[in-house]
């Protein structure tokens, strides 16, 4: 007897149930009203989200179609928010994951009127207040009292909204509903330091939101925060993030010098075949490495915005950051921060993004140096650190196998940045930031008369190399409006070293070496005066009380440097007039003797500097903020 059943053809592929629900939700209903039952939404949020499929479908929808789908998208947003409150953990996590992808894709589309059209897609203009106040309250509650994984997912949703809608008014719902206490509670409760990244990142984004337009409540929270235990935890997490971000550079090109090993010893005595093999970073050609470096730092670097904000607002955070002593084999959070700064600035010329993060970190260092208490710690040998500096491009900094005061590492950062970013189209703001740091460090040494061991000849060489570069390519940037600030700082730093070096250099030989280099480059000083003296604004730094021995103008600064060079040159000419050909050692002997008759003017006024004010660098901070916002969006989007 034949069976009454007929065999159906097997489909070529099976469509996951959740994907069919996405298809059903995100399609045109033309003249009919889309109506999704409670059962649809229950099933929707019980199934595991296919985030790749959802992202692909959302990305394929045009802005016009998305606006046509507003009934569906509004229902999706409201139902997801409602399911976040569910007692079912599976449903709650599915709602959070779905919202993260939904917001990440929908908010960055190119709308004609972003604020109103985004509100239309998510909530509708008439109900936006009710929907988003409820959303902010629910996110706050989940972050405050949810489990570990649910908390992190809720923070990602908040980051996706904040980063995606940063140029709209939607973020203001998170300023009305203060998330600071719940974010601090998450940081307090996390066990792994790396889990500090996302709550700290969200805090940084919220603290920067429209901060130049109104008194941001998160900035006030940062200023008033005094829980030292949690601050230490934040700093510890920041250090781990900096180390991991730095290691992305090392993964492209491992620049660590090989220390003593059995393998290196066997190779040294000709028995390399017996040496154990060791894993190595893959060798890449120059073009491949160039492309990979241009993509760095990774998206985790967005947390550097929060590090800047905490440093700028909170003195306790500053002190805690620089007060941790370390050993050669232990990387403190501050040494990790300085190390990452070194790698970013070595490659700053590769992208505007890297330059902005480099400027942000240099600004953080400047704020630390301008605080007298922190600056004392930075110079204190009892709080020494060991820093891994970038050695991926020559010239290399001298190897420093022992821990040193943090100030030595910061000086190295300034020197390395100057040496590795010299381009005809000079990045003037980057060089101003480096010179400002040098000027403030030298000013502190002069005012405290602290004798500080350091490879000072390298600093002299770097400053005079910059002088030669500025003269050679003066025509390329002479009309740059920021150039006078660079010349101001450069002259002030060099002049302090020349005239007050005896108060902070470890011995006279180092000071004499500076005089030697000034004589060596003496022929360039008149050219420098001709090119730049009229641009400088150092006249405004002169003291109010006239002093005949005080330098009052940039022209006088350069004339004094020329006078120093001519003083020693005249003594050398006398020796040459005796028919001698002077060796470098003999030249140094003449300079050493000539110091006894050298008259140097007072440097009163040059030790003073203008403290950091955000409003003065509003443009840079806004650009860095936009960069961090974009990276935060990419971070939660998994890109």
């Amino acid at each position: 007897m034949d069976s009454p059943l007929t065999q159906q053809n097997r489909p070529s592929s099976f469509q996951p149930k959740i994907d069919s629900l996405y298809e059903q939700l995100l399609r045109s209903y033309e003249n009919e009203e889309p109506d999704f039952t409670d059962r649809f939404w229950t099933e929707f949020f019980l199934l595991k989200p296919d985030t790749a499929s959802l992202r692909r479908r959302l990305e394929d929808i045009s802005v016009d179609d998305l606006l046509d789908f507003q009934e569906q998208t509004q229902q999706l947003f409201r139902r997801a928010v409602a399911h976040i409150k569910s007692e079912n953990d599976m449903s709650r996590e599915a709602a959070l994951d779905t919202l993260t992808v939904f917001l990440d894709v929908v908010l960055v589309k190119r709308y004609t009127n972003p604020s109103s059209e985004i509100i239309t897609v998510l909530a509708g203009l008439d109900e936006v207040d009710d929907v988003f106040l409820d959303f902010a309250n629910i996110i706050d509650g989940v972050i405050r009292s949810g489990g570990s994984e649910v908390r992190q997912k809720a923070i990602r949703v908040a980051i996706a909204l904040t980063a995606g809608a940063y140029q709209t008014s939607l973020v203001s719902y998170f300023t009305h509903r203060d998330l600071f206490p719940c974010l601090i509670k998450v940081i307090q409760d996390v066990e792994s330091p790396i889990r500090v990244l996302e709550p700290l990142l969200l805090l940084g984004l919220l603290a920067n939101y429209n901060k130049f337009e109104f008194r941001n409540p998160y900035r006030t929270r940062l200023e008033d925060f005094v829980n030292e235990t949690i601050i230490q935890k934040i700093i510890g997490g920041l250090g781990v993030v900096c180390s991991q971000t730095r290691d992305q550079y090392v993964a492209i090109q491992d620049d660590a010098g090989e220390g003593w090993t059995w393998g290196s010893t066997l190779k040294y005595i000709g028995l390399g075949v017996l040496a154990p093999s060791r894993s190595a970073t893959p060798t890449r050609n120059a073009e491949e490495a160039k492309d990979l470096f241009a993509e760095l730092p990774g998206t985790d670097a967005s947390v550097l915005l929060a590090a800047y904000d905490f440093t700028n607002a909170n003195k306790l955070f500053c002190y805690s950051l620089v007060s941790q002593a370390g050993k050669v084999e232990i990387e403190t959070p501050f040494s990790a921060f300085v190390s990452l700064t070194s790698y970013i600035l070595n490659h700053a010329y590769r992208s505007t993004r890297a330059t902005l993060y480099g400027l942000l970190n240099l600004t953080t260092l400047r704020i630390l140096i301008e605080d007298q208490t922190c600056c004392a710690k930075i110079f204190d040998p009892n709080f020494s650190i060991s820093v891994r500096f970038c050695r991926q491009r020559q010239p290399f900094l001298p190897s420093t196998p022992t821990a040193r005061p943090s100030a030595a590492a910061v000086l190295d950062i300034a020197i390395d940045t100057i040496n590795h970013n010299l381009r005809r189209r000079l990045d003037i703001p980057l060089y101003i930031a480096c010179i400002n740091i040098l000027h403030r460090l030298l000013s502190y040494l002069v005012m405290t008369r602290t004798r500080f061991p350091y490879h000072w000849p390298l600093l002299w060489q770097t400053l005079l190399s910059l002088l030669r570069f500025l003269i050679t390519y003066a025509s390329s940037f002479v009309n740059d409006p920021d150039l006078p600030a660079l010349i101001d700082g450069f002259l002030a730093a060099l002049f302090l070293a020349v005239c007050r070096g005896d108060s902070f250099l470890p011995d006279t030989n180092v000071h004499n070496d500076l005089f030697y280099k000034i004589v060596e480059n003496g022929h360039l000083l008149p050219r420098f005066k001709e090119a730049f003296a009229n641009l400088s604004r150092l006249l405004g730094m002169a003291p109010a009380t006239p002093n005949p021995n005080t330098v009052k103008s940039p022209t006088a600064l350069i004339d004094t440097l020329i006078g120093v060079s001519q003083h020693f040159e005249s003594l050398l000419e006398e020796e040459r007039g005796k028919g001698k050909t002077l060796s470098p050692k003999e030249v140094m002997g003449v300079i050493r003797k000539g110091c006894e008759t050298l008259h140097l003017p007072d440097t009163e006024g040059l030790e003073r500097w203008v403290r950091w004010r955000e409003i003065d660098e509003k443009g840079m901070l806004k650009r860095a903020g936009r960069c961090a916002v974009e990276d935060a969006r990419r971070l939660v989007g998994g890109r």
Side-chain angles (χ1 to χ4, degrees), residues 130-193:
D130 292 338
V131 171
F132 271 90
L133 286 173
D134 188 40
F135 170 72
N137 290 336
I138 290 172
I139 290 295
D140 176 70
V142 173
I143 296 175
R144 190 184 300 273
S145 57
S148 175
E149 285 303 316
V150 172
R151 277 176 158 184
Q152 292 293 329
K153 290 177 183 291
I155 290 173
R156 290 189 194 110
V157 170
I159 292 174
L161 177 74
T162 304
Y166 211 68
Q167 303 302 320
T168 73
S169 59
L170 291 180
V171 183
S172 63
Y173 289 97
F174 282 154
T175 60
H176 296 310
R177 179 66 184 190
D178 187 3
L179 297 185
F180 187 87
C182 67
L183 293 175
I184 291 299
K185 190 174 190 303
V186 172
I187 293 172
Q188 182 180 18
D189 294 345
V190 295
E191 296 180 0
S192 172

Side-chain angles (χ1 to χ4, degrees), residues 227-467:
N227 188 317
E228 189 171 358
T229 302
I230 297 178
I231 284 178
Q232 292 287 358
K233 203 163 189 178
I234 291 172
I235 291 172
L238 175 64
V240 171
V241 174
C242 288
S243 295
Q244 292 189 358
T245 308
R246 182 268 321 279
D247 290 343
Q248 295 169 3
Y249 286 93
V250 177
I252 298 173
Q253 179 186 339
D254 190 353
D255 56 346
E258 184 177 358
W260 180 90
T261 62
W262 283 110
S264 61
T265 303
L266 289 171
K267 291 176 184 177
Y268 180 74
I269 61 176
L271 299 175
V273 292
L274 302 178
S277 61
R278 66 187 185 97
S279 59
T281 301
T283 302
R284 296 181 171 88
N285 61 49
E287 281 302 313
E288 185 182 1
K290 177 183 176 181
D291 293 340
L292 291 172
F293 279 131
E295 296 174 2
L296 296 181
T299 54
D300 287 0
S302 52
V303 80
L304 296 174
L305 182 66
Y308 158 77
D309 279 304
F310 245 121
T311 304
N312 191 41
N314 193 292
K315 297 297 183 185
L316 180 59
F317 181 89
C318 295
Y319 185 81
S320 300
L321 180 60
V322 301
S323 295
Q324 297 184 18
K327 300 178 181 178
V328 174
E329 67 276 9
I330 299 175
E331 188 172 48
T332 66
F334 188 55
S335 62
F337 177 83
V338 173
S339 177
L340 174 59
T341 304
S342 169
Y343 279 81
I344 291 175
L345 289 171
N346 257 256
H347 298 277
Y349 68 95
R350 297 185 187 274
S351 69
T352 301
R353 181 171 163 274
T355 300
L356 287 171
Y357 279 126
L359 281 168
L360 200 60
N361 278 13
L362 287 174
T363 301
T364 300
L365 291 173
R366 172 179 167 176
I367 294 168
L368 293 172
I369 293 166
E370 289 182 355
D371 183 284
Q372 291 298 301
T373 304
C374 291
C375 199
K377 288 293 180 187
I378 288 173
F379 278 101
D380 190 341
N382 294 320
F383 293 89
S384 296
I385 60 174
S386 181
V387 177
R388 176 173 182 164
F389 288 100
C390 182
R391 300 176 66 82
Q392 294 172 329
R393 295 173 55 235
Q394 292 186 346
F396 299 143
L397 288 166
S399 178
T400 51
T402 60
R404 301 176 297 161
S406 302
V410 178
L411 283 167
D412 281 349
I413 289 289
I415 288 175
D416 220 24
T417 303
I418 291 172
N419 287 332
H420 283 113
N421 292 278
L422 290 172
R423 298 288 185 277
R424 181 185 287 270
R425 296 182 63 181
L426 194 68
D427 191 332
I428 303 288
L430 183 65
Y431 277 77
I432 290 173
C434 290
I435 293 297
N436 282 340
I437 284 176
L438 286 175
H439 181 214
R440 282 149 181 77
L441 290 172
L442 294 179
S443 295
Y444 177 85
L445 290 173
V446 168
M447 289 187 292
T448 59
R449 303 189 68 83
T450 301
R451 298 203 175 275
F452 190 66
Y454 182 68
H455 32 258
W456 293 108
L458 179 60
L459 176 58
W460 314 149
Q461 177 184 328
T462 299
L463 289 175
L464 292 169
S465 294
L466 178 58
L467 180 141

Side-chain angles (χ1 to χ4, degrees), residues 549-566:
N549 296 318
T550 298
V551 175
K552 295 181 181 179
S553 70
T555 303
L557 285 178
I558 301 172
D559 285 343
T560 300
L561 293 175
I562 293 173
V564 169
S565 174
Q566 291 176 343

